[in-house]
Amino acid sequence: MSDVIEFEQQGAIAVLTINNPPANALSFAVCKALGELVPRCMEDDAISGIVLTGAGRMFMAGADIREFNLQRPDDVPDFHEVLGAMEAAPKPIVAAINGIAFGGGLELTMGCHYRLIAPGASVGQPEIKLGFIPGAGGTQRLPRLAGVEAALDMIVGGDPISAERAVELGIADELVEGDLIARACEFAAERAASGEAPAATGKRDAKITGIDASVFADYREKIAGRSRGLDAPEAAIKCIEAATTMALEDGLALERDTFVILRDSDSAKAMRYMFFAEREVAKIPDIPRDIEAQDIKSAAIIGSGTMGGGIAMNFANAGIPVTVVDISDDALAAGMEKVRANYASAVGRGRMDQAAMDGRMALISGATDYAQIKDADIVIEAVFEDMGLKKKIFAELDQTCKASAILASNTSTLDINEIGAATERPDKVCGTHFFSPANVMKLLENVRPDAASKETIASVMKLSKTLGKVGVLVGVCNGFVGNRILGVAARITDFMVEEGAMPWQVDAAVYDFGFAMGPFAVNDLAGIDVRYLTRNEQKKLWPDRRHPVLPERVYEMGRYGQKTDAGWYDYEPGARKGTPSPMIEDFIIKTSAELGYERRAFTDQEIVDGYVLSMANAGAQILEEGLALRASDIDVIWHYGYGFPRYRGGPMFYADLVGLDKVLDAVNRLYDSYGDWVKPSELLISLAKDGKSFADYTA
Ligand code: NAD
């Protein structure tokens, strides 16, 4: 009867099974089939009711996002009309929710008269995570079933709920432990036999009448912090509010209009893009899926400092035993104490219970010699950033560790090809560049040296997932992808401050763009001293380029940032939020004069463009040099490693939205002002010339 919906008759009940693998997504084809089958069943006197379910393990994962930007074909009915017809149908329609019913899937079940659900199934309206709101009645029907507060939580929060909770809230009528379809058929037959009109969700008004407006005001206040820069949360609240004040048709019309505006907005496009970008990172063109990744059942970390301790926690959190090695008992004890304190603070904040902490601590052991880590499946080195020391350590590890062990370095700047060459197993050497705090930050740049084998790379990519990280493959270069781009962009903001902006103006502009913090606040947090050391190295690498003077001078004043209660900002002792420092302001003005710059005003847009478009240009150079596989990988790195706002999609996506011809003009202006840091990339020039975007680029 249809390719995507199977029809079967069980007695007088028609069982319609959506079969559109892999996720039974609501595609045009499914919509068309529903639009044909439901009326046909209504007309058929041998049928007294319908059971609607999904084939396989899912009911329906949602609308088919791939069809989002396509025009609906003429022969496909509007999904609203299909739902309206189902709701108004004279014979009972029962959704048998066999697995997840998300987005359009849940909306479809709410267009049915009744919902039975299997344990293990879950329902949700996750649209908000893609920057829009439910568009097929979710904001109007869910509050009618679940009540306003639950609907707000589900639609504005976007998280799914369990089958049990769905029954508790009134979304589902029954939890069915046994044969779901058999019970659903029985249920449909009972409803048909009752002679009562089936219960349309849109007519159930008990949970949406007499709702005080303060419910919505309170909710707005509750989510204000989380929804900065986003339009969808407020839009969702408005639509749910409309469900309590307007007739169903008017609420549906408002939802529809709002949905279309949001769906076509730049922020929703960015969030959809990120959704796919995150899935793309795992694909490495020259490493087929059948390359076997090594099983990592035990790990060792060399160095129990800031990074080593955090990295060890990742393994313990994933249930993998890990041994931390440091040079002395004292250094080791200090490192282990920090790990313990970190877990204890999670317990203190109620994020973990004591038993879980004890379990994780039991997985972390300490050692001061390599003999104890000879059987580890992977060793991650996180000692001081010193090539001589790292080479020596790798040579020793190579001698001690079992032949199959992967030896990885957490270096942030050093050449891993050179580190690998210090061993007899360069095929098993690679980089795993964690971000600080390593137990929190989700990004992992996996660095691929020339000699690393495909198995080694497949193994660390798989390990990233096991550790709950987003692993992105990058090539060997100074700073790899993320920090190399930051090195350029942060310098541009230094130059802007030397020429007329103030650090707090830069930070405010970047914050308003959507980052959690601006570059100067980040610098105070990470330590001006840390950046000073890398900058000194970079001065040697690029002696002919302009280097900012201000950061060095602030360092020389002993103002290292939060750790000294003074950096670009002044801090009350121990405080994390600073206030603009009058002393620094005065000092900046004097330094500009000394350097011969006549200070001028910078607009916020100029600051954001300087920061973000210089990132995009640096990203284009990275693509050109083959150090990242695709533009979207760079965006994933910037989102997870540096907090680039998801609704902006990352520097490369942002540049695509601006248009690469305009980006090239802007980069040319930056190049005129700041020289080689922002030399227009050949790739940017050629894509701009051809009217293409970074998304079009494939290596
Ligand atoms: P750290 O100074 O906090 O810790 C280094 C640790 O290594 C110390 O505990 C030290 O005692 C130990 N150590 C030194 N020599 C050793 C040896 N021979 N054997 C065993 N242990 C030894 O440094 P960190 O900030 O954790 O940085 C470690 C590495 O991670 C560096 O390569 C750094 O570039 C990189 N990294 C740091 C960050 C960051 O934000 N701190 C981020 C990413 C990568």
Side-chain angles (χ1 to χ4, degrees):
M1 245 172 153
S2 147
D3 289 347
V4 287
I5 300 191
E6 292 162 8
F7 176 93
E8 189 202 340
Q9 208 168 321
Q10 294 203 8
I13 304 299
V15 179
L16 307 186
T17 306
I18 304 158
N19 189 2
N20 184 26
N24 292 337
L26 179 69
S27 60
F28 290 139
V30 171
C31 187
K32 183 169 179 224
L34 276 171
E36 287 165 3
L37 285 167
V38 172
R40 210 177 294 167
C41 293
M42 292 305 140
E43 283 157 20
D44 187 338
D45 288 342
I47 291 174
S48 62
I50 297 178
V51 165
L52 182 63
T53 191
R57 291 169 50 222
M58 295 192 194
F59 179 84
M60 179 182 277
D64 192 336
I65 325 183
R66 281 163 223 274
E67 289 181 355
F68 256 39
N69 300 326
L70 305 180
Q71 181 72 28
R72 176 165 52 88
D74 287 344
D75 62 341
V76 174
D78 185 274
F79 187 46
H80 283 86
E81 284 167 20
V82 174
L83 290 178
M86 286 170 63
E87 202 169 35
K91 300 176 189 174
I93 307 178
V94 180
I97 309 174
N98 54 309
I100 63 171
F102 290 170
L106 177 55
E107 289 174 304
L108 175 58
T109 73
M110 294 191 293
C112 299
H113 302 114
Y114 309 98
R115 285 145 297 277
L116 305 192
I117 191 164
S122 56
V123 299
Q125 298 282 179
E127 289 83 350
I128 205 98
K129 300 201 170 173
L130 294 175
F132 52 99
I133 61 167
T139 64
Q140 305 304 300
R141 293 196 177 92
L142 190 57
R144 285 176 157 84
L145 291 177
V148 165
E149 285 174 45
L152 283 168
D153 279 343
M154 285 179 69
I155 294 173
V156 182
D159 290 330
I161 58 165
S162 68
E164 290 75 9
R165 180 85 180 127
V167 174
E168 225 172 84
L169 289 174
I171 298 170
D173 302 278
E174 260 186 39
L175 184 73
V176 180
E177 299 276 355
D179 185 336
L180 178 67
I181 303 303
R183 173 62 195 137
C185 287
E186 188 182 80
F187 189 97
E190 282 165 16
R191 296 314 312 157
S194 76
E196 288 166 28
T201 307
K203 292 203 175 133
R204 302 188 191 190
D205 286 347
K207 291 189 177 175
I208 50 158
T209 6
I211 305 296
D212 197 289
S214 65
V215 172
F216 300 100
D218 292 350
Y219 199 82
R220 284 189 171 94
E221 206 178 300
K222 187 170 127 190
I223 61 148
R226 277 183 281 141
S227 55
R228 182 165 65 95
L230 298 171
D231 296 329
E234 172 56 26
I237 297 172
K238 270 209 178 103
C239 288
I240 298 170
E241 196 165 11
T244 69
T245 56
M246 291 182 184
L248 177 69
E249 313 74 74
D250 298 333
L252 286 173
L254 173 73
E255 179 198 79
R256 180 78 200 153
D257 293 347
T258 313
F259 168 81
V260 171
I261 294 170
L262 284 173
R263 183 197 58 188
D264 297 342
S265 68
D266 287 346
S267 60
K269 279 185 196 142
M271 286 162 91
R272 283 205 291 280
Y273 163 85
M274 287 304 287
F275 176 87
F276 289 115
E278 274 165 24
R279 281 150 184 82
E280 279 293 298
V281 287
K283 296 181 194 151
I284 303 163
D286 72 326
I287 304 187
R289 277 172 183 272
D290 56 4
I291 294 272
E292 207 157 316
Q294 274 176 241
D295 239 359
I296 307 289
K297 293 211 177 82
S298 62
I301 316 294
I302 313 297
S304 66
T306 311
M307 296 306 289
I311 297 171
M313 289 172 76
N314 282 298
F315 282 94
N317 295 346
I320 301 172
V322 55
T323 305
V324 183
V325 183
D326 214 307
I327 19 176
S328 65
D329 288 334
D330 286 351
L332 188 61
M336 295 291 270
E337 175 49 29
K338 275 203 196 119
V339 170
R340 202 202 55 75
N342 228 321
Y343 278 129
S345 132
V347 173
R349 279 175 290 135
R351 299 221 170 133
M352 180 185 277
D353 62 25
Q354 187 62 44
M357 167 174 167
D358 294 345
R360 292 183 195 186
M361 284 304 290
L363 286 169
I364 308 179
S365 52
T368 49
D369 72 279
Y370 295 162
Q372 293 189 48
I373 59 165
K374 64 182 176 29
D375 295 323
D377 294 323
I378 188 167
V379 183
I380 298 179
E381 165 279 313
V383 303
F384 308 129
E385 191 74 335
D386 174 322
M387 180 57 99
L389 176 62
K390 297 210 186 226
K391 279 162 82 170
K392 184 172 149 277
I393 288 176
F394 270 73
E396 276 175 44
L397 289 171
D398 189 31
Q399 294 300 312
T400 321
C401 296
K402 66 181 181 189
S404 61
I406 293 173
L407 307 180
S409 174
N410 186 50
T411 178
S412 12
T413 53
L414 300 174
D415 181 348
I416 301 178
N417 286 314
E418 196 178 332
I419 296 177
T423 73
E424 312 259 302
R425 61 174 100 182
D427 58 315
K428 296 217 154 280
V429 175
C430 66
T432 47
H433 183 217
F434 288 78
F435 285 68
S436 183
N439 55 316
V440 175
M441 297 294 288
K442 282 196 81 170
L443 178 64
L444 188 51
E445 281 183 332
N446 290 321
V447 191
R448 182 177 196 173
D450 300 335
S453 71
K454 292 183 179 179
E455 288 75 13
T456 300
I457 297 307
S459 304
V460 289
M461 289 299 285
K462 184 174 169 208
L463 175 67
S464 314
K465 266 205 188 129
T466 311
L467 299 182
K469 303 280 173 189
V470 178
V472 185
L473 192 62
V474 301
V476 177
C477 69
N478 190 286
F480 309 120
V481 170
N483 283 345
R484 173 166 151 180
I485 293 177
L486 177 66
V488 172
R491 268 187 187 83
I492 301 305
T493 58
D494 289 338
F495 296 146
M496 291 196 262
V497 168
E498 288 182 348
E499 295 178 11
M502 278 294 154
W504 24 97
Q505 185 201 353
V506 171
D507 283 352
V510 168
Y511 176 86
D512 288 343
F513 179 78
F515 278 90
M517 281 173 136
F520 293 92
V522 169
N523 202 196
D524 272 2
L525 174 69
I528 290 175
D529 50 334
V530 177
R531 192 169 169 217
Y532 174 81
L533 297 174
T534 32
R535 274 168 181 275
N536 267 355
E537 287 305 310
Q538 289 168 344
K539 270 192 187 164
K540 287 183 218 148
L541 278 174
W542 297 292
D544 300 332
R545 292 188 183 180
R546 173 175 168 188
H547 290 272
V549 171
L550 282 167
E552 273 69 6
R553 299 218 176 147
V554 174
Y555 167 80
E556 280 154 11
M557 289 176 196
R559 295 177 67 104
Y560 296 166
Q562 290 187 16
K563 62 176 88 162
T564 56
D565 296 327
W568 297 103
Y569 295 83
D570 290 333
Y571 297 84
E572 291 296 323
R576 291 174 140 237
K577 190 154 172 46
T579 49
S581 163
M583 191 276 261
I584 287 288
E585 177 158 356
D586 196 40
F587 168 74
I588 288 172
I589 292 168
K590 284 195 184 118
T591 309
S592 298
E594 180 200 319
L595 296 173
Y597 297 119
E598 194 171 321
R599 292 182 67 77
R600 67 173 181 92
F602 281 79
T603 64
D604 289 355
Q605 188 61 47
E606 199 178 356
I607 290 170
V608 166
D609 281 352
Y611 193 51
V612 178
L613 300 182
S614 66
M615 283 179 196
N617 185 57
Q621 282 163 356
I622 281 169
L623 288 176
E624 213 175 285
E625 292 170 32
L627 299 166
L629 286 169
R630 40 186 99 79
S632 60
D633 282 11
I634 297 176
D635 288 335
V636 170
I637 287 175
W638 264 80
H639 174 60
Y640 283 107
Y642 304 84
F644 200 104
R646 197 176 175 83
Y647 62 88
R648 300 277 194 185
M652 311 308 279
F653 179 84
Y654 180 77
D656 277 352
L657 271 189
V658 171
L660 294 192
D661 50 344
K662 292 204 190 82
V663 171
L664 180 58
D665 289 345
V667 170
N668 268 319
R669 285 195 296 276
L670 291 168
Y671 181 44
D672 287 344
S673 306
Y674 309 123
D676 276 350
W677 297 110
V678 259
K679 182 163 191 253
S681 111
E682 291 303 324
L683 177 66
L684 171 61
I685 295 170
S686 78
L687 289 174
K689 191 170 116 259
D690 297 343
K692 291 193 168 157
S693 63
F694 288 128
D696 296 324
Y697 170 80
T698 41

